[in-house]
Amino acid sequence: MAMETFNLFKGETDETQSTTPGHRYRVARLGSKLGGARLGMSVYDLPPGEAIGPYHFEWTDEEWLIALDGRATVRTPEGEHMVDPGRVLIIEAGGGHV
């Protein structure tokens, strides 16, 4: 069985086809790239001022945001949080964010 790999800094991302203003980004869905059947992990490349989607809730699973480069602003019910490179932010199941 061959082990699949993905380089977080050099791996190929795919352009999204969003028609919503402010939601332009590139993404690599790692579950499918690595051959995973149950892995829900994505790498996003966000231009300044863009978002991956509207405000939403994580109903069943927690979601982790790890900033690799640049700064990300994440809005939650508690307010805005700045995530610097190397920082990790966890959105708990039931938590909302954008």
Side-chain angles (χ1 to χ4, degrees):
M1 177 164 77
M3 182 180 293
E4 299 292 330
T5 65
F6 183 83
N7 186 302
L8 292 174
F9 299 108
K10 299 177 185 175
E12 187 67 29
T13 56
D14 303 310
E15 186 76 33
T16 60
Q17 301 300 317
S18 176
T19 58
T20 306
H23 295 163
R24 285 185 320 114
Y25 58 90
R26 297 184 62 83
V27 63
R29 308 266 182 220
L30 296 189
S32 59
K33 286 191 180 290
L34 297 174
R38 298 177 55 188
L39 177 64
M41 182 177 181
S42 300
V43 174
Y44 294 95
D45 183 3
L46 293 169
E50 299 290 332
I52 62 168
Y55 194 91
H56 63 281
F57 291 87
E58 303 302 330
W59 293 116
T60 59
D61 300 306
E62 65 187 19
E63 184 169 287
W64 291 28
L65 179 123
I66 304 169
L68 300 176
D69 186 37
R71 297 178 76 194
T73 304
V74 179
R75 187 168 42 91
T76 70
E78 291 78 34
E80 289 190 351
H81 307 273
M82 294 303 296
V83 184
D84 294 313
R87 302 284 293 188
V88 179
L89 177 73
I90 297 175
I91 308 297
E92 295 178 351
H97 70 99
V98 66

